[in-house]
Amino acid sequence: MKKNLAILTVFLFSFAFLSVVVGIIEIGLMVLDTEIIANSDPKVMAGLIAEELVSAAIVLIISPFTSAIGLIILLFNKYRARWYFWTCLIFTLPYVFFFPIGTIVFSITWFYLLYKKREFNNNHPVNVAT
């Protein structure tokens, strides 16, 4: 159960990255669309781009709130694997730019993870041959 909560936490933290991927895919699909002509009116093109990026924008707007849920899970979950530590650090990095909620989540997450770093490193001891 603890590992499943860790996976859920990483998924919730990854929403900022997910929105970028969704945006790139949507723009790529728009470029491949044969109905759009390159010589179209700039206002029409701007409207089409805006339509394509709506779902990415929704994910981006929701992501600070999902990361706050992920932070709560992280704080109460006792799972301490090295991969969990590093993925949480990496996936919360973009939230420093989502002021104020994302920045608060970023600060608390990084402080907590760096404060508890030894617990995450000691979970998987390495056997040293003597």
Side-chain angles (χ1 to χ4, degrees):
M1 181 68 176
K2 292 178 184 178
K3 186 175 182 178
N4 292 337
L5 286 174
I7 293 170
L8 176 63
T9 303
V10 171
F11 176 72
L12 292 171
F13 283 155
S14 69
F15 268 59
F17 286 105
L18 180 66
S19 66
V20 172
V21 171
V22 167
I24 290 170
I25 290 171
E26 288 181 346
I27 289 176
L29 292 174
M30 186 185 80
V31 168
L32 297 174
D33 192 2
T34 57
E35 296 177 9
I36 300 173
I37 302 169
N39 296 337
S40 294
D41 182 28
K43 290 182 182 179
V44 173
M45 290 299 290
L48 291 172
I49 292 171
E51 282 179 25
E52 292 295 325
L53 294 179
V54 166
S55 59
I58 290 172
V59 173
L60 197 61
I61 291 168
I62 293 172
S63 66
F65 300 105
T66 61
S67 67
I69 295 168
L71 173 63
I72 292 168
I73 295 171
L74 172 70
L75 292 175
F76 293 105
N77 190 5
K78 299 299 179 194
Y79 186 73
R80 298 291 187 256
R82 210 173 272 162
W83 69 267
Y84 188 37
F85 174 83
W86 287 107
T87 54
C88 287
L89 279 180
I90 291 168
F91 282 138
T92 56
L93 192 59
Y95 291 104
V96 74
F97 300 111
F98 293 101
F99 186 78
I101 296 171
T103 307
I104 293 168
V105 168
F106 166 81
S107 302
I108 294 171
T109 303
W110 276 58
F111 177 78
Y112 178 78
L113 287 172
L114 295 176
Y115 182 73
K116 300 279 187 171
K117 185 176 182 178
R118 287 192 175 172
E119 289 181 22
F120 286 92
N121 286 335
N122 291 335
N123 192 26
H124 303 287
V126 178
N127 293 332
V128 179
T130 54

